Amino acid sequence: MLIKLFFSLIIIIFIFSVFLECDFDYLKHPLSIWIYIISLLLIIISSFLEEILRFKNQLSKKKFQSYEKKIKTINHGFDGILELDNKIPKWWQQLFYITIVISIIYFCSFFFTNFANPQFEYKRAYKNQLKKIKEFEKKQPQASIETVKFDKKFINDGKKLFNENCATCHNIDGGGNIGPNLTDDYWINHKEKTLIKNVFSIIWNGSKKNKVMRAFGASGEIKGNDIKKLSSYIYFINKNNNKPKNPKFPEGDKIIFE
């Protein structure tokens, strides 16, 4: 009975994980718990019924003797040993059938589903990780001009955002195109005292002196935390004397920020 219980649980869990493609949280789901309970009760009832029938058969000596007579014997001949040709135990047969069922399920799931596919598992894990990151960022307070500071860890993310949102106007290396050069000391807008806050202010509020530069932050197009990453990247290429291939001519006033 214990063997039946153990392998029944394994089969149920296996079917859930293969065909429903869900996480291990489903083990705690009320529906799953009810399935386990019902399955266990059915197995226990069937096992007790088998035991009762077995007990009845043992009480009857005549039935037992007739059963013993029906057992075939194998005579090896050369050694004089008689071997009883007993039937295979039911628990062994059931275990064998279970392995066949599991092998068929595994074969079909492996070749006709995404089960055991490392690329699919990686993509699923990657999507789940992105969801968790988005949820985390939603809970985090957005950066503002009062709280923004330069941070090296935002440079790579800021570069990606820059290539997606700013490279068209400022060129891929920040040297300027329609928009001004971001790597020199000349600024059309210079309201703030520090460079990082000045850049954040321009991206958030846009530029009245340059109509092409719209208010990405005020319009909700880019969130405060992403503007912080953009500002860190622009601060980095400006302070590290990044030399673009074809820099645009200076625009605005020469300002040396802190």
Side-chain angles (χ1 to χ4, degrees):
M1 186 173 72
L2 292 174
I3 294 172
K4 286 182 181 179
L5 293 174
F6 177 73
F7 280 100
S8 298
L9 283 174
I10 290 177
I11 290 171
I12 292 169
I13 293 170
F14 182 78
I15 291 171
F16 268 109
S17 62
V18 171
F19 294 102
L20 298 182
E21 296 182 352
C22 48
D23 298 329
F24 284 101
D25 293 338
Y26 72 86
L27 293 171
K28 301 176 183 178
H29 195 277
L31 179 61
S32 301
I33 294 171
W34 275 110
I35 291 173
Y36 301 150
I37 293 170
I38 293 169
S39 301
L40 292 175
L41 288 174
L42 290 174
I43 292 168
I44 292 169
I45 291 168
S46 64
S47 299
F48 275 117
L49 289 173
E50 284 183 8
E51 292 295 330
I52 291 169
L53 290 172
R54 227 180 258 173
F55 181 72
K56 284 183 177 180
N57 289 333
Q58 288 178 355
L59 292 176
S60 177
K61 291 182 179 180
K62 291 181 179 180
K63 287 183 179 181
F64 180 76
Q65 289 174 356
S66 63
Y67 173 75
E68 192 176 25
K69 290 178 181 179
K70 290 179 182 179
I71 297 175
K72 296 179 181 179
T73 58
I74 301 172
N75 189 351
H76 295 286
F78 62 88
D79 55 6
I81 297 174
L82 290 177
E83 182 182 348
L84 294 178
D85 189 13
N86 289 308
K87 292 182 179 180
I88 297 173
K90 286 186 177 181
W91 67 265
W92 195 97
Q93 287 180 330
Q94 292 171 355
L95 182 62
F96 180 69
Y97 295 145
I98 287 170
T99 58
I100 293 174
V101 172
I102 291 175
S103 64
I104 292 171
I105 294 173
Y106 186 87
F107 179 85
C108 294
S109 60
F110 184 84
F111 286 100
F112 302 108
T113 68
N114 288 317
F115 177 72
N117 187 330
Q119 293 181 351
F120 174 77
E121 291 177 0
Y122 171 78
K123 289 179 180 178
R124 184 171 60 183
Y126 180 71
K127 287 180 180 178
N128 290 335
Q129 189 65 28
L130 289 178
K131 286 181 181 178
K132 289 180 181 178
I133 291 171
K134 286 182 179 179
E135 290 175 1
F136 174 78
E137 288 184 344
K138 286 179 181 178
K139 295 177 182 177
Q140 288 294 104
Q142 295 294 323
S144 64
I145 195 166
E146 290 80 16
T147 60
V148 65
K149 292 180 181 179
F150 170 73
D151 196 330
K152 289 183 180 179
K153 67 181 180 183
F154 296 134
I155 291 174
N156 290 331
D157 290 338
K159 184 177 181 180
K160 293 177 183 177
L161 290 167
F162 184 88
N163 293 338
E164 293 172 2
N165 299 281
C166 311
T168 304
C169 295
H170 296 281
N171 215 340
I172 198 75
D173 56 7
N177 189 0
I178 300 172
N181 182 0
L182 300 176
T183 62
D184 59 16
D185 294 328
Y186 291 86
W187 296 88
I188 299 173
N189 301 276
H190 43 82
K191 292 182 179 180
E192 304 299 326
K193 293 181 179 180
T194 62
L195 176 59
I196 190 74
K197 290 192 174 186
N198 195 68
V199 173
F200 188 96
S201 175
I202 295 169
I203 299 173
W204 184 274
N205 298 310
S207 174
K208 294 181 180 179
K209 297 179 181 179
N210 184 4
K211 299 296 182 181
V212 178
M213 182 63 191
R214 62 184 183 274
F216 288 97
S219 64
E221 191 172 346
I222 303 178
K223 295 180 180 179
N225 288 337
D226 286 337
I227 294 177
K228 177 174 64 176
K229 295 173 183 178
L230 274 169
S231 302
S232 292
Y233 174 68
I234 295 170
Y235 178 95
F236 174 76
I237 62 175
N238 184 275
K239 287 295 184 180
N240 283 271
N241 296 320
N242 184 45
K243 296 181 180 178
K245 293 181 180 179
N246 299 305
K248 191 177 180 181
F249 57 85
E251 295 179 273
D253 302 322
K254 187 173 183 179
I255 304 293
I256 305 298
F257 286 104
E258 297 178 10

